[in-house]
Amino acid sequence: MSETPASGAPPAVSIVVPVRNEAGNIAPLVDEIATALGKDRSFEIIYVNDGSTDRTESELTQLMASRPWLRQIKHRTSCGQSAAVSSGVMQARAGVVVTLDGDGQNDPAFIPALLAGMTQAPRIGLVAGQRIGRQASWFKKLQSHVANAVRSLVLRDGTRDTGCGLKAFRRDLFLALPYFDGLHRFLPALVRREGYDIGYVDVVDRPRGAGVSNYGMWDRLWIGILDLAGVWWLIRRKKRVPEIVED
């Protein structure tokens, strides 16, 4: 596989994985990601340790000793999934970033399809995974169904599932978006707001590898109602940039 140490040339792709107390899932997922990316593409994998209190830090440190393309960024205290994703993207060295959840439910085998989607049109800014066969409790499925239906009705972002962690996007575009807690759940609407197109890839959801969910209902639902209103306001306030022609 193509290794890209931090001191070398920028990699072709940066993989950002936000985690909080996911020690049991780290080693298998790191190797799955590396296998999916293959030997012919330079890459780096950035784990953002969002204030973990288990063995997450020590497991990553041990793995990094034999994997020069693996990096760990740490939050002293937990700041939430959006903050972790943003920290990872800011530290990424590639122009294209792929995100996925650290619990093992997102299958890294779909990463090449996401990257291929980024090249399908010149104005593609985001390729979003769309989960099929969702592995979750009936309550989480209901919660996601209602949230996606309301979001789609209000924002008209053309996206069936914004909760899937598997996404590929342009780093410069992400960093130009207004940051707020919950940003990662509204990327399709905000990317369209900037005039870019979106690609979609159906991905198979897997059962969680180990442990329990660390970003729960309050993080996903109630705060999201306020975020939805804010994103709707941002879209309505977007000004058209004039094209200036001089004769």
Side-chain angles (χ1 to χ4, degrees):
M1 82 189 43
S2 182
E3 299 178 355
T4 307
S7 59
V13 60
S14 297
I15 311 297
V16 172
V17 188
V19 288
R20 185 171 73 193
N21 295 337
E22 295 287 2
N25 295 311
I26 290 172
L29 188 59
V30 165
D31 289 340
E32 279 191 297
I33 296 171
T35 298
L37 289 166
K39 299 180 179 180
D40 299 325
R41 181 188 288 114
S42 63
F43 64 87
E44 64 179 357
I45 302 175
I46 303 173
Y47 265 72
V48 183
N49 182 352
D50 185 34
S52 295
T53 57
D54 64 353
R55 302 184 320 278
T56 291
E57 180 177 354
S58 60
E59 288 202 13
L60 283 168
T61 299
Q62 183 177 358
L63 291 171
M64 288 164 58
S66 59
R67 296 163 175 80
W69 33 262
L70 179 61
R71 302 167 58 191
Q72 177 178 195
I73 296 168
K74 294 178 287 185
H75 291 168
R76 291 186 182 275
T77 59
S78 178
C79 299
Q81 192 170 359
S82 279
V85 169
S86 294
S87 292
V89 176
M90 284 190 286
Q91 295 296 320
R93 300 171 60 240
V96 173
V97 175
V98 173
T99 63
L100 70 159
D101 295 339
D103 58 10
Q105 288 194 259
N106 296 155
D107 191 342
F110 291 98
I111 292 176
L114 296 177
L115 294 174
M118 290 293 296
T119 67
Q120 295 303 306
R123 293 294 294 176
I124 290 285
L126 166 72
V127 178
Q130 304 287 276
R131 291 170 293 186
I132 56 177
R134 178 89 188 273
Q135 299 293 315
S137 67
W138 69 269
F139 179 71
K140 285 189 176 181
K141 290 179 181 178
L142 176 62
Q143 176 184 318
S144 293
H145 177 75
V146 172
N148 280 314
V150 173
R151 187 209 69 255
S152 180
L153 178 65
V154 174
L155 301 182
R156 303 186 183 277
D157 56 11
T159 303
R160 183 182 82 238
D161 173 21
T162 65
C164 179
L166 272 166
K167 296 181 177 72
F169 49 81
R170 293 176 46 163
R171 178 178 180 270
D172 59 347
L173 172 58
F174 182 94
L175 294 178
L177 299 177
Y179 174 77
F180 58 94
D181 191 21
L183 167 64
H184 67 286
R185 301 185 193 95
F186 296 95
L187 281 180
L190 293 171
V191 167
R192 289 189 188 279
R193 174 182 181 267
E194 297 301 315
Y196 288 88
D197 296 326
I198 301 174
Y200 299 98
V201 173
D202 283 342
V203 301
V204 177
D205 201 35
R206 307 190 297 187
R208 162 178 275 277
V212 297
S213 177
N214 294 288
Y215 295 112
M217 180 181 70
W218 293 99
D219 184 61
R220 290 176 177 144
L221 182 59
W222 307 119
I223 295 174
I225 295 173
L226 296 177
D227 290 339
L228 178 63
V231 173
W232 176 84
W233 183 86
L234 284 170
I235 293 172
R236 290 289 299 266
R237 295 294 297 171
K238 178 67 175 179
K239 299 294 185 181
R240 184 182 298 275
V241 177
E243 295 183 11
I244 300 175
V245 179
E246 182 176 356
D247 293 331

